[in-house]
């Protein structure tokens, strides 16, 4: 008989995790990326070179670069951010973290207490919403259109909160390749966002983790690059541009914020080998790699849109993403994608129900987020076809799945 830990566990724990049983055959969930695009040989060469040159620095916490993270990686980021986003950033105001989730946790640890209020986008990153809920934070959803947050609605939200005596702790936005919608906020709207934030005295938390993956290679300036008052905190990651499992992200901002985030980063530093390898690799290869990723993901995006049109027809509504690895799909109101996901996973198709990515779960009830970054094109086509069949059997949507139509047309 094994020891019973249950009386000793603290109250309020989430349900216990299940044993992992492997990825489903058709995996459209998470932020997984294209396996063939991981530059394994170049990683091996970069690791060998940097370890031969600086491996002895592994004997110290911080790699002789201090607690902010490996200095050559921060220097690369400062240069890359200037070239790609227009941001002028001192390497000593960049903090290397263990993925963008840790960046979010650190910012929340610095700013948020139970009962505080933040503003976020009405459809947004599930991990952000989960953290707000765990912290007991109130979040107000700002409506979106094809260019990100609607500024008229944001202005009204800020005014209503002011009248109620509430100052939001920050505005959380994913302006470039928004997750899950894939939209890009134009520079003109970013300037309005900055002006509103200044008028109401609210910081902006800019999550830019997908911004390098616009399909046409262009992007507006980062909101932080347009900010001359230090009111924007910026978060980026190598998870989508390089590889998710590396778990390397970064925070950029004013020292007043970075120093506070560093003070609550209790892990004695993020993984050193990843930082060393990335600095060595990215200095020489980052731009070429990003161009390759843009092309690979653009083709996969075309594939999943073609598959959705072929298999769901007009029952699936979506706007072509401008980059990234996700497509946000709206199905008829009669479809509950949380139930659909439960049925689909039993047949090997995994999807993200829209309720989990919506500040108002009811508004996302008939939506779903599909990740096309990881599956091969053949898997995308097969998986969407199977999903359409499952959806048809369970809900009658689409009225005829693509496979049913083909079977009838062939006389089978």
């Amino acid at each position: 008989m094994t020891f019973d830990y249950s009386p000793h566990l603290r109250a309020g724990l989430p349900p216990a995790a299940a044993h992992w049983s492997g990825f489903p055959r058709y995996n459209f969930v998470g932020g997984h990326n294209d396996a063939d695009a991981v530059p394994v040989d170049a990683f091996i060469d970069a690791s060998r070179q940097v370890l031969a040159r600086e491996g002895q620095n592994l004997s110290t916490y911080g790699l002789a670069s201090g607690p902010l993270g490996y200095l050559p990686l921060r220097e690369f980021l400062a240069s890359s951010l200037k070239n790609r986003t227009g941001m002028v950033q001192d390497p000593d105001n960049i903090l290397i973290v263990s993925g963008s989730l840790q960046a979010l946790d650190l910012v929340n640890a610095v700013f948020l207490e139970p009962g505080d209020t933040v503003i976020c986008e009405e459809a947004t990153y599930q991990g952000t919403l989960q953290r707000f809920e765990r912290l007991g934070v109130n979040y107000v959803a700002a409506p979106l259109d094809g260019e990100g947050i609607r500024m008229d609605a944001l202005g009204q939200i800020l005014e209503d909160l002011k009248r109620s005596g509430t100052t939001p702790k920050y505005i959380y936005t994913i302006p470039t390749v928004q997750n899950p919608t894939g939209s890009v906020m134009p520079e003109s709207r970013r300037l309005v966002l900055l002006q509103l934030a200044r008028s109401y005295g609210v910081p902006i938390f800019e999550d830019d983790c997908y911004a390098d993956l616009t399909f046409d290679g262009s992007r507006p300036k980062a909101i932080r690059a347009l900010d001359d008052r230090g009111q924007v905190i910026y978060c980026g990651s190598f998870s989508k541009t390089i590889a998710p499992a590396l778990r390397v992200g970064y925070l950029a901002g004013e020292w007043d914020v970075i120093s506070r985030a560093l003070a609550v980063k209790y892990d004695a530093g993020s993984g050193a080998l990843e930082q060393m390898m990335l600095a060595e690799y990215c200095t020489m290869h980052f731009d070429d790699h990003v161009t390759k990723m843009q092309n690979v993901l653009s083709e996969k995006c075309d594939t999943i849109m073609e598959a959705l049109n072929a298999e769901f027809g007009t029952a699936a509504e979506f706007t072509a993403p401008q980059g990234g690895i996700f497509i946000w799909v709206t199905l008829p109101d009669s479809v509950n994608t949380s139930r659909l996901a439960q049925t689909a996973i039993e047949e090997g198709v995994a999807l993200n129900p829209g309720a989990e990515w919506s500040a108002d779960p009811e508004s996302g009830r008939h939506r779903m987020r599909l990740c096309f970054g990881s599956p091969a094109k053949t898997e995308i086509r097969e998986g969407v076809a199977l999903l359409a069949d499952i959806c048809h059997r369970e809900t009658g949507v689409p009225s005829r799945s693509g496979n049913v139509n083909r079977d009838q047309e062939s006389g089978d």
Side-chain angles (χ1 to χ4, degrees):
M1 184 175 181
T2 58
F3 182 76
D4 181 11
Y5 285 95
S6 57
H8 303 272
L9 302 177
R10 71 170 177 85
L13 283 175
H19 283 290
W20 189 65
S21 57
F23 290 123
R25 182 178 180 185
Y26 302 110
N27 188 25
F28 296 116
V29 302
H32 307 296
N33 224 319
D34 188 275
D36 292 335
V38 178
V40 176
D41 291 339
F43 281 178
I44 293 170
D45 291 341
S47 299
R48 183 183 297 111
Q49 292 170 21
V50 73
L51 285 173
R53 188 176 68 246
E54 300 183 48
Q56 289 182 324
N57 286 334
L58 290 168
S59 64
T60 64
Y61 288 100
L63 294 168
S65 289
L68 287 170
Y70 185 48
L71 180 57
L73 182 58
R74 290 187 281 122
E75 290 174 336
F76 162 76
L77 283 168
S79 174
S80 180
L81 288 170
K82 182 178 180 180
N83 293 335
R84 290 180 169 274
T85 76
M87 187 190 316
V88 177
Q89 189 68 44
D90 191 308
D92 286 340
N93 282 9
I94 297 174
L95 172 62
I96 305 299
V97 295
S98 300
S100 61
L101 278 173
Q102 187 179 45
L104 180 60
D105 286 337
L106 294 175
V107 170
N108 287 346
V110 169
F111 285 94
L112 299 183
E113 296 178 298
D116 282 342
T117 297
V118 296
I119 298 173
C120 64
E121 293 153 338
E122 63 179 351
T124 192
Y125 176 41
Q126 179 192 34
T128 301
L129 296 174
Q130 289 173 332
R131 280 156 174 75
F132 292 159
E133 290 167 358
R134 290 173 193 161
L135 291 169
V137 169
N138 303 311
Y139 50 88
V140 180
L144 298 168
D145 62 18
E147 296 183 338
I149 297 177
R150 284 176 36 210
M151 291 301 119
D152 60 335
L154 178 62
Q156 189 62 56
I157 289 169
L158 287 164
E159 184 61 25
D160 290 345
L161 289 172
K162 181 180 180 180
R163 287 176 181 169
S164 70
T166 300
T167 300
K169 286 299 186 75
Y170 62 72
I171 300 167
Y172 174 77
T173 181
I174 311 171
T176 312
V177 189
Q178 204 269 348
N179 180 10
T181 67
S183 67
V184 174
M185 183 186 294
E187 183 172 320
S188 58
R189 190 173 292 198
R190 294 169 190 240
L191 291 169
V192 176
L193 173 57
L194 266 176
Q195 185 57 51
L196 284 170
R198 290 169 180 171
S199 297
Y200 288 89
V202 181
I204 296 171
F205 185 6
E206 180 178 13
D207 185 340
D208 223 31
C209 290
Y210 303 89
D212 288 324
L213 297 178
T214 54
F215 297 147
D216 65 2
S218 65
R219 57 153 299 162
K221 288 184 178 179
I223 301 173
R224 178 162 172 77
L226 301 168
D227 174 29
D228 59 4
R229 300 187 187 180
Q231 201 166 334
V232 180
I233 306 157
Y234 182 92
C235 166
S237 174
F238 291 100
S239 290
K240 303 304 177 285
T241 50
I242 304 289
L246 289 174
R247 308 309 307 134
V248 180
Y250 50 94
L251 272 174
E254 302 305 301
W255 180 245
D256 285 350
V257 173
I258 297 300
S259 61
R260 296 286 187 174
L262 182 59
V264 296
K265 190 175 186 288
Y266 301 125
D267 59 3
S270 298
L273 286 173
E274 299 95 318
Q275 294 183 56
M276 295 171 74
M277 183 271 290
L278 277 172
E280 193 77 8
Y281 171 80
C282 288
T283 301
M284 297 295 294
H285 304 295
F286 186 73
D287 290 343
D288 289 341
H289 174 77
V290 167
T291 299
K292 177 181 178 180
M293 289 299 302
Q294 290 165 345
N295 293 333
V296 167
L297 295 176
S298 178
E299 291 181 5
K300 287 190 172 187
C301 184
D302 289 342
T303 300
I304 199 167
M305 289 192 294
E306 291 166 2
L308 286 166
N309 282 324
E311 304 298 339
F312 282 88
T314 58
E317 298 178 2
F318 55 87
T319 300
Q322 296 185 50
I325 59 176
F326 306 119
I327 189 165
W328 185 236
V329 181
T330 300
L331 296 174
D333 291 346
S334 59
V335 178
N336 183 327
T337 56
S338 296
R339 294 177 186 166
L340 176 63
Q342 293 174 359
T343 303
I345 193 63
E346 295 174 0
E347 298 190 40
V349 183
L351 62 95
N352 288 128
E356 298 175 0
W357 302 83
S358 304
D360 173 16
E362 185 60 28
S363 71
R365 179 179 174 277
H366 59 296
R367 295 184 168 93
M368 59 182 176
R369 192 193 76 157
L370 302 178
C371 174
F372 53 81
S374 178
K377 294 177 186 178
T378 300
E379 293 171 334
I380 290 173
R381 296 185 188 99
E382 292 175 354
V384 170
L386 178 55
L387 178 60
D389 283 343
I390 296 166
C391 189
H392 172 71
R393 296 198 309 264
E394 295 295 317
T395 71
V397 174
S399 57
R400 291 180 183 274
S401 74
N403 285 341
V404 169
N405 282 331
R406 283 194 294 272
D407 289 344
Q408 290 183 342
E409 289 170 3
S410 65
D412 293 340

